[in-house]
Amino acid sequence: MKATRHGAHLVKLTRLGAVNCYLVRESDGFTLVDTSMPGSADAILAAAREAVGQIRRILLTHAHGDHVGSLAALREQLPDAEVLISERDARFLRGDKSLDPGEPQAKLRGSYPEVDVEPTRLLKPGDQVGSLELVPTPGHTPGHASFRDARDGTLIAGDAFQTLGGIAVSGKIKPLFPLPALSTWHKPTALESARTLREMQPSRLAVGHGRVVESPTAAMDDAIAEAS
Ligand SMILES: [Zn+2]
């Protein structure tokens, strides 16, 4: 896995040049945001050792297979770590693919693997995990969550945006890397969430697929305009 540092607190771990997860440094060790594809656990643990910290928490942006793929394997090796995910997307981990009456009745897309790991805490809008604040960003999945680092304005946006193949709002197809768009549940909701993130004036945008963008607001404006 390729590790790159961004600012004082963020390390991006990339598998196959396409799938990211993140180590966020806190005073007690790391919060791991997402777990990449299956088979990534040993590489993630090695990266945390190299960056000199223990993974204390595993925090998930959403329940797609390329984000929860190594959750079970990591859990086995980190029995004391907290496991946190939005209340809504936690249902997918249990194999419950039902939609709520108030939600757009659109087809669920992408892989939602069942994972035999019980989250230690189910997150709601505004919840705080260490320095990270949960920002609800539904659209890519019904319970998709982004996380804002209160220390420096870094936004970890999961698949609400992608930057691989060009910056895009979730649901807008980028021919060089169409996968996130093809696995997006409801595009109008995703676009609304993208606007919410833009309004937060992030200093840095870190996504599930593609590079980290510094001072990203102009690029986010372009992506939102393109998707509108
Ligand atoms: Zn993804």
Side-chain angles (χ1 to χ4, degrees):
M1 261 181 156
K2 190 178 175 220
T4 52
R5 284 169 184 276
H6 304 271
H9 317 294
L10 190 71
V11 181
K12 174 162 79 75
L13 306 178
T14 305
R15 186 126 182 247
L16 302 176
V19 181
N20 301 333
C21 58
Y22 293 90
L23 294 169
V24 177
R25 192 178 293 281
E26 298 282 4
S27 53
D28 63 350
F30 290 118
T31 297
L32 173 70
V33 181
D34 288 337
T35 69
S36 199
M37 304 177 288
S40 309
D42 287 345
I44 290 170
L45 292 167
R49 274 196 301 275
E50 201 141 302
V52 194
Q54 267 279 337
I55 295 172
R56 303 292 183 187
R57 289 162 293 275
I58 301 170
L59 178 61
L60 301 163
T61 59
H62 63 293
H64 274 154
D66 53 333
H67 298 256
V68 304
S70 293
L71 174 56
L74 282 166
R75 184 66 172 139
E76 241 168 68
Q77 300 199 52
L78 300 169
D80 297 327
E82 283 186 80
V83 177
L84 311 107
I85 183 169
S86 75
E87 200 166 31
R88 179 64 189 88
D89 264 28
R91 271 165 46 190
F92 295 120
L93 298 181
R94 300 194 296 267
D96 172 2
K97 292 197 189 177
S98 63
L99 293 169
D100 288 335
E103 289 174 341
Q105 300 298 302
K107 185 177 172 334
L108 290 167
R109 296 171 190 278
S111 79
Y112 290 89
E114 252 184 84
V115 182
D116 190 18
V117 171
E118 193 61 40
T120 55
R121 188 175 144 206
L122 298 178
L123 300 174
K124 297 193 182 68
D127 274 358
Q128 203 80 29
V129 179
S131 303
L132 302 177
E133 182 199 343
L134 186 150
V135 183
T137 44
H140 186 66
T141 66
H144 189 285
S146 300
F147 302 101
R148 180 182 181 276
D149 193 321
R151 296 170 294 190
D152 62 2
T154 294
L155 194 61
I156 302 175
D159 288 358
F161 281 89
Q162 71 177 77
T163 62
L164 191 57
I167 186 163
V169 171
S170 178
K172 179 73 190 165
I173 289 197
K174 287 284 158 180
L176 290 175
F177 193 68
L179 206 69
L182 296 175
S183 53
T184 293
W185 166 61
H186 193 247
K187 290 184 202 180
T189 305
L191 181 56
E192 238 174 82
S193 291
R195 290 196 174 108
T196 301
L197 294 178
R198 164 63 182 88
E199 277 160 25
M200 302 186 85
Q201 313 254 29
S203 64
R204 175 181 291 126
L205 179 66
V207 296
H209 307 281
R211 68 190 182 88
V212 171
V213 179
E214 301 289 331
S215 307
T217 51
M220 292 168 88
D221 281 338
D222 291 348
I224 288 166
E226 199 188 354
S228 299

